[in-house]
Amino acid sequence: MSRPYVLVLYYSSHGATRTMAQHIARGIEQSGIEARLRTVPAVSANSEASAPAVPEQGALYCSEQDLANCAGLALGSPTRFGNMAAALKYFIDGTSALWLSGALIGKPASVFSSSSSLHGGQETTLISMMLPLLHHGMVITGLPYSESELLSTTTGGTPYGATHVAGNDSRRPVDDTELKLCRAQGKRLGELAIKLQKET
Ligand SMILES: Cc1cc2nc3c(=O)[nH]c(=O)nc-3n(C[C@H](O)[C@H](O)[C@H](O)COP(=O)(O)O)c2cc1C
């Protein structure tokens, strides 16, 4: 049996959501619980192609067991037409067995996203990611306004979860405010995972 961990599961094409995931993982580890970073393969219209089992670089692909055994979950996706990316949705659509067994019931979860524009659908994307997690019985957590950057940010950061504004060319680096909110979200999620574990 492995040590308890919080799973940080994300998809990222250009790296912004990956950077956010890494900072959320740092926040989780600050709370005293391990963070496990995992990603999902891209999906392709070319359905006979399949990705190698181990990616050439970066985080490993998430297994069903990674998700089933987590003490909490941070789920991150780029904003794609105001919704989560198909690759992440495809992975989630394959989790019926965990829904049937109730493996995720009562575990805390939070969501994060990166988009090109400030009003381009970050919050709808965050909510789109919450929906399947609610079906799984997870306890959704956001970011409280005691994180004062939520009141002053002119870029990313919402009470629904951490966000990043990547700009028209998707190259704008994740700024200090956005990173601070990522770490705060991770720390809060880790603390809740530890508390909820003690109660079960
Ligand atoms: C198919 C597609 C749809 C997108 N839809 C939106 C959108 O609705 N709103 C927005 O602001 N950005 C949109 N973007 C831009 C991405 O959200 C943005 O580049 C994001 O930062 C990418 O994250 P990543 O670096 O983790 O891949 C879209 C990009 C693609 C490829």
Side-chain angles (χ1 to χ4, degrees), residues 95-155:
T95 61
S96 302
L98 302 187
W99 175 77
L100 281 168
S101 69
L104 300 176
I105 291 176
K107 296 178 179 179
S110 67
V111 292
F112 57 101
S113 184
S114 172
S115 72
S116 285
S117 57
L118 183 56
H119 302 293
Q122 291 186 336
E123 290 171 351
T124 54
T125 300
L126 295 176
I127 289 169
S128 79
M129 285 190 282
M130 290 177 190
L131 300 178
L133 304 184
L134 286 165
H135 279 255
H136 271 294
M138 301 196 88
V139 180
I140 306 292
T141 76
L143 272 167
Y145 275 94
S146 48
E147 300 300 334
S148 57
E149 287 78 9
L150 279 185
L151 288 164
S152 59
T153 181
T154 54
T155 54

Side-chain angles (χ1 to χ4, degrees), residues 11-164:
Y11 177 73
S12 181
S13 308
H14 300 291
T17 314
R18 180 175 61 240
T19 300
M20 296 179 79
Q22 288 162 345
H23 283 262
I24 285 178
R26 280 188 206 174
I28 290 166
E29 300 230 323
Q30 276 173 14
S31 76
I33 189 167
E34 184 183 324
R36 185 176 291 187
L37 273 168
R38 291 290 184 267
T39 188
V40 294
V43 288
S44 165
N46 188 1
S47 59
E48 62 272 20
S50 65
V54 177
E56 282 182 12
Q57 56 181 19
L60 294 175
Y61 293 136
C62 190
S63 69
E64 188 178 72
Q65 288 309 301
D66 286 328
L67 183 55
N69 297 327
C70 72
L73 171 69
L75 188 67
S77 171
T79 291
R80 292 266 168 101
F81 300 118
N83 210 311
M84 80 175 99
L88 198 60
K89 179 71 164 54
Y90 183 78
F91 177 85
I92 292 171
D93 283 358
T95 61
S96 302
L98 302 187
W99 175 77
L100 281 168
S101 69
L104 300 176
I105 291 176
K107 296 178 179 179
S110 67
V111 292
F112 57 101
S113 184
S114 172
S115 72
S116 285
S117 57
L118 183 56
H119 302 293
Q122 291 186 336
E123 290 171 351
T124 54
T125 300
L126 295 176
I127 289 169
S128 79
M129 285 190 282
M130 290 177 190
L131 300 178
L133 304 184
L134 286 165
H135 279 255
H136 271 294
M138 301 196 88
V139 180
I140 306 292
T141 76
L143 272 167
Y145 275 94
S146 48
E147 300 300 334
S148 57
E149 287 78 9
L150 279 185
L151 288 164
S152 59
T153 181
T154 54
T155 54
T158 84
Y160 310 99
T163 56
H164 164 58

